[in-house]
Every structure is written in structure tokens, then in C-alpha cells.
Amino acid sequence: MKGFSISANNARIDEQNNVIFMELTPIIGLEIHVELKTKSKMFCPCKNDPESREANINVCPICLVHPGTLPLPNKTALSWT
């Protein structure tokens, strides 16, 4: 079949040069982002203030992912989810 490309993953050609497509199962994933109205951030004790006019003032070594720091989940946020 001139000018026709077939992916071996999802199709094949039979004896009469007909293209046979295999049945495929679609997998659909969702990624959901939420903003919880907690007083502190999700993984550190820094103030959660999305309305702040200044950038990067509520940060700590945990927020900045410094080596050796361990995040602590916000208990309120965990109970709300």
C-alpha cells in the first residue's frame, strides 16, 4: 500500500491487504487541583496567604525544598480531603 503507514502497535494488514485495527481500550486520567482555605500551607507551617501582594514572603526551608528538610502534612487539610 503506497503512501500509507501503519503502526505495528494498533493495526495489521490481512492477506487481502486490508488494514485491520485492533480493539483499543482508552484510559483517561484526571488531575484535580484544589485550594483549601487553611491557615498554613499543606506541607509546612508557613502562612497560607494567596491574597498577599508581595511574592515569596511566606517561605521556609521546607517550602524551598532544602536538602534534609521533611514535609509535615497539614492535619486540617488532610481531614478536609
Side-chain angles (χ1 to χ4, degrees), residues 38-42 44-50 52 57-60 63:
T38 57
K39 294 180 182 176
S40 63
K41 294 181 182 180
M42 181 63 192
C44 72
C46 290
K47 183 179 175 185
N48 181 24
D49 186 14
S52 177
I57 58 169
N58 298 322
V59 295
C60 69
C63 296

Side-chain angles (χ1 to χ4, degrees), residues 9 26 47 76:
N9 293 331
K47 183 179 175 185
T76 305

Side-chain angles (χ1 to χ4, degrees), residues 32-38 40 42 48-51 77 80-81:
I32 300 169
H33 296 255
V34 298
E35 279 189 31
L36 299 175
K37 295 187 181 246
T38 57
S40 63
M42 181 63 192
N48 181 24
D49 186 14
E51 304 298 325
W80 288 357
T81 56

Side-chain angles (χ1 to χ4, degrees), residues 14-74:
D14 66 5
E15 296 81 29
Q16 290 82 29
N17 284 337
N18 295 318
V19 178
I20 308 294
F21 289 96
M22 296 185 294
E23 289 187 34
L24 301 176
T25 304
I27 299 173
I28 300 169
L30 296 176
E31 182 174 331
I32 300 169
H33 296 255
V34 298
E35 279 189 31
L36 299 175
K37 295 187 181 246
T38 57
K39 294 180 182 176
S40 63
K41 294 181 182 180
M42 181 63 192
F43 293 108
C44 72
C46 290
K47 183 179 175 185
N48 181 24
D49 186 14
E51 304 298 325
S52 177
R53 298 280 180 207
E54 294 181 59
N56 301 325
I57 58 169
N58 298 322
V59 295
C60 69
I62 296 172
C63 296
L64 299 174
V65 195
H66 286 188
T69 60
L70 295 174
L72 296 172
N74 183 328

